[in-house]
Amino acid sequence: MVIRLRDLDRKVVEAKSSPPKFHQRQDSPVPSLRSSSSSLDFSDLDSTPVKPSSSSRGFRWIVGLALASLAVAVTIGRGMQRLPMHDNGGSAETDKPESLYKMPLPTSQNELADLNDKLAGLDPKFILQWAHHHLHDGADADERNSHPLVQATSFGPTGLVILDHLAKYNLLETIPVITMDTLHLFRESYTFYETVQSHYKSSLHLTVTKPKHEVHGEMTTKQQFQDVYGSDFWKADPKTYTKLTKSEPMHQKLEEWNAVMWITGRRRSQGGERVKLDILEFEPYVFTNATEAGFSDPFHPSRGRWKLNPLAYWSYDEVWSYIRKNSVPYNTLYDQGYTSIGDEMTTSLPASKSEGERSGRFAGFGVSNKECGLHVDLDLDLPGMETTDDKMSK
């Protein structure tokens, strides 16, 4: 729109007495500018004719400048509407940098290091979208994998932030969520299963695993478990306890789904073995000898499975800031001072924040390693799990 000051002169006529006064009509809240003409239309204004003077010329100059500024603002506003929003909660493809499509899964340690350098500078939503694209739509997609990408979580703060990202960017429809019921959780943790399912409704496909016994089958109560293994089994043999209640049930499901990658909530700021954590890592199977089987790719599916840690570089405060800002539901035990929650008998309140958020795990049991049993070497014996020879035949 072009505004010409000479068009203003045509609308201003000689005044008989008083200085210019404009009275806006009540039935016309704002002056109208006719888009079909470059001139201004003052038909919606009542005016008293005035004689041109230095003051009226100054007034016309001010009005012209104001209208010109308005035109510029409208033009800029229209341009801004065409710019993509940074965090609009759209589909999985919204705002995704095109360069992500050129970042395939690595086939060497050098490629893995380079990829982690690139992923480290990305927002978690882009990391999740990158993984989803390659495993569902990209060159790494395989129709034989019913669920190539899975989130495993105990519904801790970081896992909840990841879950909320998956929901916000419409990824939950194709990424199932697994949580492990050890039969020894807090009552509040079981209640939270219902809370989180109610919050995310039909978009959340939640699978709850339970310990299995080769004779008794799946166990559904704590008493059942103790009748078979004893009430102090978790203390007498913590490694086997974790293997029975967490590792084997979860990896059994991942194997059933032919999962290529699973998403975790681990972060560097949690300390311990996690301080040098990368966003993407490869978890090898202990029992597999893929080199003898003829595989040169160090990351061949027969060797192990990918793990994705999209919030590896987030701090504890950043996690909770996101939860509060986005009204993400969480376990009410955190309001009582817990900073990390697992089984009831191995979880306590941290002595102080300076000791780290996982300091309340296994406190008083002489256990220096606070690492969850899910993130140890996979020496598993899973019914139906394929051998290297089985995978080679595919």
mmCIF file of all heavy atoms in Angstrom, residues 167-194:
data_model
loop_
_atom_site.group_PDB
_atom_site.id
_atom_site.type_symbol
_atom_site.label_atom_id
_atom_site.label_comp_id
_atom_site.label_asym_id
_atom_site.label_seq_id
_atom_site.Cartn_x
_atom_site.Cartn_y
_atom_site.Cartn_z
ATOM 1 N N ALA A 167 4.450 -37.407 22.675
ATOM 2 C CA ALA A 167 3.037 -37.082 22.511
ATOM 3 C C ALA A 167 2.852 -35.765 21.768
ATOM 4 O O ALA A 167 2.011 -35.650 20.876
ATOM 5 C CB ALA A 167 2.356 -37.023 23.880
ATOM 6 N N LYS A 168 3.657 -34.767 22.110
ATOM 7 C CA LYS A 168 3.512 -33.435 21.526
ATOM 8 C C LYS A 168 3.769 -33.437 20.024
ATOM 9 O O LYS A 168 3.130 -32.705 19.266
ATOM 10 C CB LYS A 168 4.476 -32.463 22.224
ATOM 11 C CG LYS A 168 4.380 -31.033 21.717
ATOM 12 C CD LYS A 168 5.358 -30.118 22.457
ATOM 13 C CE LYS A 168 4.953 -29.947 23.905
ATOM 14 N NZ LYS A 168 5.826 -28.963 24.598
ATOM 15 N N TYR A 169 4.684 -34.277 19.580
ATOM 16 C CA TYR A 169 5.041 -34.301 18.158
ATOM 17 C C TYR A 169 4.486 -35.527 17.429
ATOM 18 O O TYR A 169 5.025 -35.968 16.427
ATOM 19 C CB TYR A 169 6.563 -34.182 18.011
ATOM 20 C CG TYR A 169 7.059 -32.905 18.622
ATOM 21 C CD1 TYR A 169 7.722 -32.909 19.851
ATOM 22 C CD2 TYR A 169 6.801 -31.680 18.015
ATOM 23 C CE1 TYR A 169 8.120 -31.727 20.446
ATOM 24 C CE2 TYR A 169 7.192 -30.491 18.610
ATOM 25 C CZ TYR A 169 7.857 -30.521 19.822
ATOM 26 O OH TYR A 169 8.244 -29.336 20.415
ATOM 27 N N ASN A 170 3.394 -36.071 17.992
ATOM 28 C CA ASN A 170 2.625 -37.135 17.335
ATOM 29 C C ASN A 170 3.468 -38.371 17.005
ATOM 30 O O ASN A 170 3.323 -38.961 15.941
ATOM 31 C CB ASN A 170 1.953 -36.610 16.059
ATOM 32 C CG ASN A 170 0.951 -35.507 16.340
ATOM 33 O OD1 ASN A 170 0.412 -35.419 17.444
ATOM 34 N ND2 ASN A 170 0.707 -34.658 15.362
ATOM 35 N N LEU A 171 4.341 -38.755 17.908
ATOM 36 C CA LEU A 171 5.172 -39.937 17.706
ATOM 37 C C LEU A 171 4.694 -41.133 18.523
ATOM 38 O O LEU A 171 5.105 -42.266 18.264
ATOM 39 C CB LEU A 171 6.627 -39.615 18.076
ATOM 40 C CG LEU A 171 7.311 -38.519 17.254
ATOM 41 C CD1 LEU A 171 8.682 -38.197 17.835
ATOM 42 C CD2 LEU A 171 7.437 -38.928 15.801
ATOM 43 N N LEU A 172 3.831 -40.900 19.502
ATOM 44 C CA LEU A 172 3.381 -41.993 20.362
ATOM 45 C C LEU A 172 2.546 -43.028 19.621
ATOM 46 O O LEU A 172 2.440 -44.177 20.057
ATOM 47 C CB LEU A 172 2.567 -41.441 21.537
ATOM 48 C CG LEU A 172 3.343 -41.095 22.815
ATOM 49 C CD1 LEU A 172 2.387 -40.633 23.898
ATOM 50 C CD2 LEU A 172 4.160 -42.269 23.303
ATOM 51 N N GLU A 173 1.942 -42.620 18.519
ATOM 52 C CA GLU A 173 1.116 -43.561 17.761
ATOM 53 C C GLU A 173 1.940 -44.715 17.220
ATOM 54 O O GLU A 173 1.423 -45.818 17.021
ATOM 55 C CB GLU A 173 0.426 -42.821 16.607
ATOM 56 C CG GLU A 173 -0.608 -41.795 17.041
ATOM 57 C CD GLU A 173 -1.821 -42.422 17.701
ATOM 58 O OE1 GLU A 173 -2.076 -43.621 17.465
ATOM 59 O OE2 GLU A 173 -2.507 -41.717 18.464
ATOM 60 N N THR A 174 3.224 -44.485 16.958
ATOM 61 C CA THR A 174 4.069 -45.522 16.364
ATOM 62 C C THR A 174 5.233 -45.931 17.264
ATOM 63 O O THR A 174 6.023 -46.798 16.893
ATOM 64 C CB THR A 174 4.635 -45.052 15.014
ATOM 65 O OG1 THR A 174 5.247 -43.757 15.183
ATOM 66 C CG2 THR A 174 3.526 -44.951 13.971
ATOM 67 N N ILE A 175 5.356 -45.315 18.438
ATOM 68 C CA ILE A 175 6.419 -45.678 19.377
ATOM 69 C C ILE A 175 5.776 -46.179 20.667
ATOM 70 O O ILE A 175 5.288 -45.382 21.478
ATOM 71 C CB ILE A 175 7.350 -44.486 19.673
ATOM 72 C CG1 ILE A 175 8.025 -44.003 18.388
ATOM 73 C CG2 ILE A 175 8.399 -44.869 20.708
ATOM 74 C CD1 ILE A 175 8.957 -42.813 18.591
ATOM 75 N N PRO A 176 5.752 -47.476 20.898
ATOM 76 C CA PRO A 176 5.165 -48.001 22.130
ATOM 77 C C PRO A 176 6.061 -47.723 23.337
ATOM 78 O O PRO A 176 7.256 -47.446 23.194
ATOM 79 C CB PRO A 176 5.064 -49.511 21.855
ATOM 80 C CG PRO A 176 6.144 -49.778 20.859
ATOM 81 C CD PRO A 176 6.248 -48.546 20.011
ATOM 82 N N VAL A 177 5.474 -47.788 24.514
ATOM 83 C CA VAL A 177 6.187 -47.512 25.756
ATOM 84 C C VAL A 177 6.152 -48.756 26.641
ATOM 85 O O VAL A 177 5.097 -49.374 26.820
ATOM 86 C CB VAL A 177 5.543 -46.319 26.500
ATOM 87 C CG1 VAL A 177 6.243 -46.067 27.828
ATOM 88 C CG2 VAL A 177 5.590 -45.067 25.625
ATOM 89 N N ILE A 178 7.311 -49.117 27.183
ATOM 90 C CA ILE A 178 7.423 -50.263 28.082
ATOM 91 C C ILE A 178 7.811 -49.775 29.470
ATOM 92 O O ILE A 178 8.701 -48.940 29.609
ATOM 93 C CB ILE A 178 8.500 -51.264 27.604
ATOM 94 C CG1 ILE A 178 8.138 -51.872 26.265
ATOM 95 C CG2 ILE A 178 8.680 -52.376 28.628
ATOM 96 C CD1 ILE A 178 9.192 -52.846 25.744
ATOM 97 N N THR A 179 7.155 -50.298 30.493
ATOM 98 C CA THR A 179 7.587 -50.071 31.864
ATOM 99 C C THR A 179 7.643 -51.414 32.568
ATOM 100 O O THR A 179 6.874 -52.334 32.248
ATOM 101 C CB THR A 179 6.658 -49.096 32.606
ATOM 102 O OG1 THR A 179 7.277 -48.684 33.833
ATOM 103 C CG2 THR A 179 5.305 -49.719 32.896
ATOM 104 N N MET A 180 8.559 -51.567 33.508
ATOM 105 C CA MET A 180 8.802 -52.842 34.156
ATOM 106 C C MET A 180 8.210 -52.868 35.571
ATOM 107 O O MET A 180 8.635 -52.095 36.430
ATOM 108 C CB MET A 180 10.312 -53.128 34.232
ATOM 109 C CG MET A 180 10.943 -53.501 32.912
ATOM 110 S SD MET A 180 10.846 -52.200 31.646
ATOM 111 C CE MET A 180 11.896 -50.940 32.371
ATOM 112 N N ASP A 181 7.239 -53.742 35.781
ATOM 113 C CA ASP A 181 6.673 -53.945 37.108
ATOM 114 C C ASP A 181 7.461 -55.066 37.788
ATOM 115 O O ASP A 181 7.318 -56.241 37.449
ATOM 116 C CB ASP A 181 5.191 -54.313 37.003
ATOM 117 C CG ASP A 181 4.575 -54.601 38.365
ATOM 118 O OD1 ASP A 181 5.248 -54.357 39.392
ATOM 119 O OD2 ASP A 181 3.421 -55.082 38.401
ATOM 120 N N THR A 182 8.287 -54.707 38.761
ATOM 121 C CA THR A 182 9.107 -55.698 39.472
ATOM 122 C C THR A 182 8.302 -56.420 40.539
ATOM 123 O O THR A 182 8.811 -57.339 41.185
ATOM 124 C CB THR A 182 10.301 -55.007 40.148
ATOM 125 O OG1 THR A 182 9.810 -54.118 41.171
ATOM 126 C CG2 THR A 182 11.127 -54.220 39.136
ATOM 127 N N LEU A 183 7.067 -55.985 40.769
ATOM 128 C CA LEU A 183 6.176 -56.481 41.826
ATOM 129 C C LEU A 183 6.595 -55.959 43.202
ATOM 130 O O LEU A 183 6.025 -56.366 44.218
ATOM 131 C CB LEU A 183 6.121 -58.015 41.850
ATOM 132 C CG LEU A 183 5.778 -58.701 40.521
ATOM 133 C CD1 LEU A 183 5.799 -60.223 40.675
ATOM 134 C CD2 LEU A 183 4.435 -58.233 40.004
ATOM 135 N N HIS A 184 7.577 -55.063 43.235
ATOM 136 C CA HIS A 184 8.078 -54.520 44.499
ATOM 137 C C HIS A 184 8.077 -52.983 44.490
ATOM 138 O O HIS A 184 8.855 -52.351 45.222
ATOM 139 C CB HIS A 184 9.496 -55.025 44.767
ATOM 140 C CG HIS A 184 9.596 -56.502 44.981
ATOM 141 N ND1 HIS A 184 9.536 -57.419 43.940
ATOM 142 C CD2 HIS A 184 9.739 -57.230 46.122
ATOM 143 C CE1 HIS A 184 9.652 -58.648 44.434
ATOM 144 N NE2 HIS A 184 9.779 -58.572 45.746
ATOM 145 N N LEU A 185 7.238 -52.369 43.683
ATOM 146 C CA LEU A 185 7.199 -50.913 43.574
ATOM 147 C C LEU A 185 6.374 -50.288 44.687
ATOM 148 O O LEU A 185 5.626 -50.970 45.399
ATOM 149 C CB LEU A 185 6.619 -50.515 42.214
ATOM 150 C CG LEU A 185 7.320 -51.058 40.967
ATOM 151 C CD1 LEU A 185 6.582 -50.618 39.713
ATOM 152 C CD2 LEU A 185 8.786 -50.610 40.919
ATOM 153 N N PHE A 186 6.486 -48.972 44.826
ATOM 154 C CA PHE A 186 5.653 -48.226 45.772
ATOM 155 C C PHE A 186 4.196 -48.244 45.308
ATOM 156 O O PHE A 186 3.898 -48.331 44.110
ATOM 157 C CB PHE A 186 6.128 -46.764 45.851
ATOM 158 C CG PHE A 186 7.401 -46.549 46.608
ATOM 159 C CD1 PHE A 186 8.628 -46.644 45.962
ATOM 160 C CD2 PHE A 186 7.388 -46.233 47.963
ATOM 161 C CE1 PHE A 186 9.817 -46.421 46.646
ATOM 162 C CE2 PHE A 186 8.570 -46.007 48.657
ATOM 163 C CZ PHE A 186 9.787 -46.107 48.000
ATOM 164 N N ARG A 187 3.302 -48.120 46.272
ATOM 165 C CA ARG A 187 1.877 -48.035 45.942
ATOM 166 C C ARG A 187 1.625 -46.839 45.028
ATOM 167 O O ARG A 187 0.832 -46.915 44.092
ATOM 168 C CB ARG A 187 1.064 -47.899 47.234
ATOM 169 C CG ARG A 187 -0.425 -47.660 47.012
ATOM 170 C CD ARG A 187 -1.162 -47.644 48.339
ATOM 171 N NE ARG A 187 -0.532 -46.735 49.279
ATOM 172 C CZ ARG A 187 -0.749 -45.412 49.315
ATOM 173 N NH1 ARG A 187 -1.588 -44.869 48.422
ATOM 174 N NH2 ARG A 187 -0.162 -44.648 50.199
ATOM 175 N N GLU A 188 2.307 -45.720 45.280
ATOM 176 C CA GLU A 188 2.127 -44.518 44.471
ATOM 177 C C GLU A 188 2.570 -44.744 43.016
ATOM 178 O O GLU A 188 2.015 -44.136 42.097
ATOM 179 C CB GLU A 188 2.923 -43.357 45.064
ATOM 180 C CG GLU A 188 2.377 -42.822 46.374
ATOM 181 C CD GLU A 188 2.901 -43.591 47.578
ATOM 182 O OE1 GLU A 188 3.502 -44.687 47.411
ATOM 183 O OE2 GLU A 188 2.721 -43.097 48.710
ATOM 184 N N SER A 189 3.547 -45.612 42.820
ATOM 185 C CA SER A 189 4.021 -45.897 41.459
ATOM 186 C C SER A 189 2.968 -46.654 40.667
ATOM 187 O O SER A 189 2.779 -46.415 39.465
ATOM 188 C CB SER A 189 5.324 -46.698 41.514
ATOM 189 O OG SER A 189 6.351 -45.942 42.140
ATOM 190 N N TYR A 190 2.281 -47.575 41.326
ATOM 191 C CA TYR A 190 1.215 -48.304 40.644
ATOM 192 C C TYR A 190 0.039 -47.386 40.330
ATOM 193 O O TYR A 190 -0.571 -47.483 39.261
ATOM 194 C CB TYR A 190 0.746 -49.482 41.507
ATOM 195 C CG TYR A 190 1.764 -50.596 41.593
ATOM 196 C CD1 TYR A 190 2.400 -50.891 42.794
ATOM 197 C CD2 TYR A 190 2.088 -51.349 40.462
ATOM 198 C CE1 TYR A 190 3.340 -51.913 42.879
ATOM 199 C CE2 TYR A 190 3.017 -52.377 40.538
ATOM 200 C CZ TYR A 190 3.645 -52.652 41.741
ATOM 201 O OH TYR A 190 4.574 -53.654 41.800
ATOM 202 N N THR A 191 -0.260 -46.479 41.247
ATOM 203 C CA THR A 191 -1.327 -45.513 41.002
ATOM 204 C C THR A 191 -0.992 -44.623 39.810
ATOM 205 O O THR A 191 -1.873 -44.253 39.023
ATOM 206 C CB THR A 191 -1.558 -44.637 42.247
ATOM 207 O OG1 THR A 191 -1.910 -45.463 43.350
ATOM 208 C CG2 THR A 191 -2.659 -43.609 41.997
ATOM 209 N N PHE A 192 0.288 -44.316 39.653
ATOM 210 C CA PHE A 192 0.699 -43.424 38.569
ATOM 211 C C PHE A 192 0.512 -44.067 37.201
ATOM 212 O O PHE A 192 0.360 -43.356 36.201
ATOM 213 C CB PHE A 192 2.166 -43.004 38.752
ATOM 214 C CG PHE A 192 2.590 -41.929 37.792
ATOM 215 C CD1 PHE A 192 2.089 -40.643 37.888
ATOM 216 C CD2 PHE A 192 3.473 -42.206 36.758
ATOM 217 C CE1 PHE A 192 2.459 -39.656 36.993
ATOM 218 C CE2 PHE A 192 3.849 -41.223 35.864
ATOM 219 C CZ PHE A 192 3.344 -39.946 35.981
ATOM 220 N N TYR A 193 0.525 -45.392 37.105
ATOM 221 C CA TYR A 193 0.221 -46.052 35.826
ATOM 222 C C TYR A 193 -1.108 -45.536 35.279
ATOM 223 O O TYR A 193 -1.235 -45.230 34.092
ATOM 224 C CB TYR A 193 0.125 -47.565 36.008
ATOM 225 C CG TYR A 193 1.436 -48.300 36.197
ATOM 226 C CD1 TYR A 193 1.452 -49.660 36.486
ATOM 227 C CD2 TYR A 193 2.657 -47.653 36.084
ATOM 228 C CE1 TYR A 193 2.643 -50.359 36.656
ATOM 229 C CE2 TYR A 193 3.850 -48.323 36.255
ATOM 230 C CZ TYR A 193 3.840 -49.682 36.546
ATOM 231 O OH TYR A 193 5.022 -50.360 36.715
ATOM 232 N N GLU A 194 -2.096 -45.457 36.162
ATOM 233 C CA GLU A 194 -3.419 -45.000 35.745
ATOM 234 C C GLU A 194 -3.399 -43.513 35.407
ATOM 235 O O GLU A 194 -4.052 -43.074 34.456
ATOM 236 C CB GLU A 194 -4.426 -45.280 36.860
ATOM 237 C CG GLU A 194 -4.561 -46.753 37.223
ATOM 238 C CD GLU A 194 -5.503 -46.967 38.391
ATOM 239 O OE1 GLU A 194 -6.109 -45.969 38.860
ATOM 240 O OE2 GLU A 194 -5.631 -48.125 38.844
#
